[in-house]
Amino acid sequence: MMLEPLLKPMYILLVDDNPNNLKVLSEAIQGCGWKTLVATDGESAIEQTEYAVPDLILLDIMMPGIDGFETCRRLKANSITQNIPVIFMTALTDATDKVKGLEIGAVDYITKPFQQEEVIARLKLHLKISHLTRTLEQRVQERTGELTQSLQQLQNTQLQLIQSEKMSTLGQMIAGIGHEINNPIGFISGNCSHIEEYVKDLLRLVNLQQQKLPHSDPEIVELVKEIDLEYLIEDLPNILASMHQGIGRLKDISLSLRTFARSDISSMVEFQIHEGIDSTLMLLKHRLQDQGKRSKIEVVKEYGNLPPITCYPGQLNQVFMNLIANAIDAFDDLYQNGSVQKIAATPYTITIATSVQPQEKTVSICIEDNAFGMPPEVQARIFEPSFTTKAVGKGTGLGLAISYQIIIDKHDGQIQCLSTSGQGTKFIITLGI
């Protein structure tokens, strides 16, 4: 057999210095099944209200010590008691006094001498209103919490979809570029060695011919002078060496593309963090160079001896890209905001430091710039979806939000932003080994 849950009894505090009034009201109230608390002055009423927290207060106006108005004013100023309904009891008929009581927080008046039926009816009404108010507030809070949670889930889902689509599209595009680059690289690299051999052979032939035939035909002498044969023989090796360097550069770019756009999305794999950072820097190298008025940005690498970590490499590389690109944007903005002198005497620098914490079994990646930093109100919102300080068309506000989700949700790591306005910004990523 199940028992019905017991309802909490209603407590009503009676505040009056007249014992007869207290007796009459107590009997009427207890007859309705409510519990009574009693106080004979304002100070004791306030003290009793704080620890007993009644559901309603019947408060006399004319009392020794502080009167009912001041008692009500103090109750409404206290966060513990401010929401308890107060009904004034008074023999006063002046409308000004009634308005004064309502203005300081009372919900109603009961006029002496009491009519018990009226008192009970008013108490029932205000207890019901109070109960409905508390219930409504609770439901609003619950609903607000549900809506906030739903909004957060929706934003997370949107970020996941954007991130997944972005990585898929980026991976396909970069894989295609890498494939297209590899074919001509292989062709040029293979033929370059042959060209080098052919040139050597031709130069040997020319040299031998000059030795065997010292008195050449006048037309040949004229041509040798025209093409500056001596300079040509001297410069050809330099040209071939430059071609080899260019081929090496293309190979590095191709490797960086493949490293950056790793498609390890379905499962985690072991990955060397430094490879991902280096590939990202390779792809951003053109943005680090002189850009008109903005001078070159120096990248300082302070790499520790990191072990490979188990992660989603392509997604981590996306985080590195977002953070480093944002640092470059910060330097570019110095000119747009007229703050060229800010670091005129200091080289523009992005410092990337990595370290391992064996005790915590974690690695840290710190990406720091010495640009202008950000104010606290901006720093507090940088990981919010769609929040951006960039001009329309120059930023979606999703880069850092996606980075946050990749580190926190995908890798169970931490990402922290430390920034001082006018000094610079530092992002610290912590990942488990």
Side-chain angles (χ1 to χ4, degrees):
M1 176 180 177
M2 295 184 64
L3 297 176
E4 291 292 331
L6 297 176
L7 296 175
K8 177 186 174 183
M10 293 288 185
Y11 283 87
I12 299 175
L13 173 62
L14 307 177
V15 188
D16 198 322
D17 62 330
N18 188 320
N20 291 330
N21 290 340
L22 294 175
K23 180 180 179 182
V24 171
L25 289 170
S26 295
E27 290 176 354
I29 289 171
Q30 290 174 358
C32 294
W34 300 325
K35 302 291 185 180
T36 59
L37 302 170
V38 174
T40 57
D41 58 72
E43 288 88 347
S44 60
I46 293 171
E47 182 180 354
Q48 190 169 178
T49 302
E50 287 186 347
Y51 69 79
V53 191
D55 296 284
L56 188 145
I57 300 172
L58 279 175
L59 179 60
D60 189 24
I61 291 180
M62 306 299 294
M63 294 185 298
I66 61 173
D67 63 11
F69 292 134
E70 179 61 23
T71 301
C72 181
R73 189 177 290 108
R74 294 186 186 182
L75 289 171
K76 294 303 175 182
N78 188 331
S79 60
I80 300 175
T81 60
Q82 64 183 1
N83 293 322
I84 301 173
V86 175
I87 297 178
F88 277 127
M89 300 182 294
T90 181
L92 301 175
T93 57
D94 189 344
T96 303
D97 290 323
K98 293 183 178 181
V99 171
K100 178 180 178 181
L102 294 173
E103 285 179 344
I104 63 177
V107 297
D108 206 349
Y109 267 91
I110 295 175
T111 305
K112 299 177 183 179
F114 303 121
Q115 297 293 327
Q116 288 194 11
E117 294 80 1
E118 180 187 1
V119 172
I120 298 302
R122 289 179 182 268
L123 292 179
K124 286 182 177 180
L125 172 63
H126 288 292
L127 285 171
K128 184 175 182 180
I129 292 173
S130 177
H131 173 72
L132 291 174
T133 300
R134 290 196 302 271
T135 302
L136 179 60
E137 289 175 349
Q138 181 179 356
R139 289 180 179 176
V140 168
Q141 290 177 352
E142 291 173 353
R143 185 59 177 160
T144 301
E146 292 173 358
L147 291 173
T148 301
Q149 185 177 7
S150 298
L151 177 61
Q152 184 64 46
Q153 291 175 347
L154 177 60
Q155 289 177 335
N156 289 340
T157 301
Q158 289 175 329
L159 285 176
Q160 289 175 358
L161 290 173
I162 293 170
Q163 175 194 336
S164 177
E165 182 65 25
K166 185 175 181 179
M167 289 303 296
S168 176
T169 303
L170 183 64
Q172 292 174 5
M173 180 185 70
I174 292 183
I177 293 173
H179 178 73
E180 291 300 321
I181 289 177
N182 272 338
N183 286 335
I185 287 176
F187 174 78
I188 295 172
S189 179
N191 286 308
C192 193
S193 59
H194 295 302
I195 291 174
E196 191 170 10
E197 291 299 320
Y198 298 161
V199 168
K200 288 180 180 179
D201 290 341
L202 288 173
L203 291 178
R204 285 170 53 207
L205 175 61
V206 170
N207 186 48
L208 182 61
Q209 186 179 25
Q210 287 180 331
Q211 292 177 9
K212 297 295 185 180
L213 302 172
H215 303 292
S216 301
D217 184 87
E219 289 187 22
I220 295 177
V221 172
E222 184 64 28
L223 180 59
V224 167
K225 185 178 179 180
E226 179 182 338
I227 66 175
D228 196 352
L229 180 61
E230 184 177 350
Y231 176 77
L232 186 150
I233 293 173
E234 180 183 344
D235 197 43
L236 266 175
N238 297 331
I239 294 174
L240 291 170
S242 296
M243 292 173 63
H244 281 299
Q245 289 179 357
I247 292 170
R249 167 75 174 155
L250 287 171
K251 288 180 177 179
D252 289 341
I253 293 174
S254 178
L255 178 61
S256 295
L257 289 171
R258 295 197 301 272
T259 302
F260 179 81
R262 290 281 295 269
S263 58
D264 308 290
I265 297 174
S266 60
S267 62
M268 289 185 164
V269 296
E270 281 198 346
F271 181 63
Q272 174 52 254
I273 291 291
H274 294 157
E275 293 181 7
I277 297 174
D278 289 342
S279 70
T280 304
L281 291 172
M282 176 70 73
L283 297 179
L284 289 172
K285 189 173 182 178
H286 67 288
R287 292 199 60 198
L288 296 168
Q289 304 302 321
D290 295 347
Q291 302 289 327
K293 294 182 180 179
R294 199 262 289 150
S295 60
K296 180 181 179 181
I297 300 171
E298 297 290 340
V299 176
V300 178
K301 297 180 184 178
E302 299 176 354
Y303 287 174
N305 187 20
L306 297 191
I309 68 168
T310 302
C311 63
Y312 297 101
Q315 295 185 24
L316 279 187
N317 290 339
Q318 185 181 356
V319 174
F320 301 147
M321 175 67 77
N322 288 336
L323 297 183
I324 298 172
N326 279 349
I328 296 173
D329 289 341
F331 288 114
D332 291 341
D333 288 345
L334 287 175
Y335 291 91
Q336 296 178 7
N337 297 334
S339 304
V340 184
Q341 295 80 10
K342 187 270 167 193
I343 50 176
T346 305
Y348 302 146
T349 305
I350 297 174
T351 302
I352 304 175
T354 63
S355 60
V356 61
Q357 295 78 41
Q359 296 82 4
E360 292 83 5
K361 296 184 177 180
T362 59
V363 297
S364 295
I365 304 100
C366 175
I367 299 175
E368 181 177 7
D369 66 65
N370 65 342
F372 52 72
M374 62 185 81
E377 60 272 18
V378 172
Q379 186 178 345
R381 300 187 59 193
I382 56 172
F383 294 118
E384 292 181 13
S386 300
F387 176 77
T388 180
T389 59
K390 297 178 181 178
V392 176
K394 291 191 175 182
T396 62
L398 296 176
L400 288 178
I402 290 175
S403 298
Y404 183 89
Q405 190 177 74
I406 289 173
I407 299 299
I408 302 296
D409 297 339
K410 296 293 187 179
H411 292 86
D412 196 24
Q414 297 179 4
I415 181 169
Q416 182 182 12
C417 175
L418 304 175
S419 184
T420 303
S421 185
Q423 296 185 18
T425 300
K426 176 192 296 184
F427 285 91
I428 303 173
I429 299 169
T430 304
L431 300 169
I433 298 177

